[in-house]
Amino acid sequence: MSEPLIRETFPVGPLACNCSIIGSPATGQAIVVDPGDDPDKVLAALARLGLKATAILVTHAHFDHVGGLARVREATGAPVYMHDGDKPLYDNLDMQTSIFGFPSIVTTTIDRWAQDGERVPFGDAVAEILHTPGHTPGSLSFHVADTVPLLLTGDTLFAGSIGRTDLWGGDFDTLIAAIHAKLLCFPDEAIIIPGHGPESTIGMERRYNPFLRQAG
Ligand SMILES: [Zn+2]
Ligand SMILES: [Zn+2]
């Protein structure tokens, strides 16, 4: 892989979930991560970038990350990957949306229950699946090798913060342990693309994230 990957990250939906499209310039194949809402915006971005989605990866099944899933899956024909630890959350989306006062969400088939360490190829690139539970039981992060490693961390790790653990199945100690085991092993220059808010790097979070400094 010589050329850098094509990447675009943009907020979708009322909670501004970051949706990312990452594509191989050599083959035009791409992954879509967290089409949380605004499926038309996601499909338009794919068309504008000249990319064809060959896999849809879901970091976790909170409603703000899966709202556009059904439309994007239908329109692209790409299989959806999710961890089965979040199946109960996906099966109970109406409970989630009603508690937070949002309209209900059309669900779709989950094609593949993703496993820790599984590799999802797209063109000449690969997304490696990392199980990083704690925000939810089935929370995933994705590692994509690029000119510097890319880490899509969902609501597990944010710039300067971590995911909340007071929602269904959340657990603080599990979350911290997962970040140390699966994410802080990457080099300082690795780019963090979180589920909400600005990007960061592993080096910045290792040094300045108040939830990681003492233990790190
Ligand atoms: Zn979440
Ligand atoms: Zn979220």
Side-chain angles (χ1 to χ4, degrees), residues 4-8 21-31 51 122 125:
L5 297 173
I6 298 165
R7 176 166 75 87
E8 193 161 302
I21 294 171
I22 302 176
S24 153
T27 68
Q29 293 179 305
I31 52 170
L51 295 172
F122 55 106

Side-chain angles (χ1 to χ4, degrees), residues 60 64-65 155 196:
H60 66 296
D64 54 317
H65 295 256
D155 290 1
H196 301 268

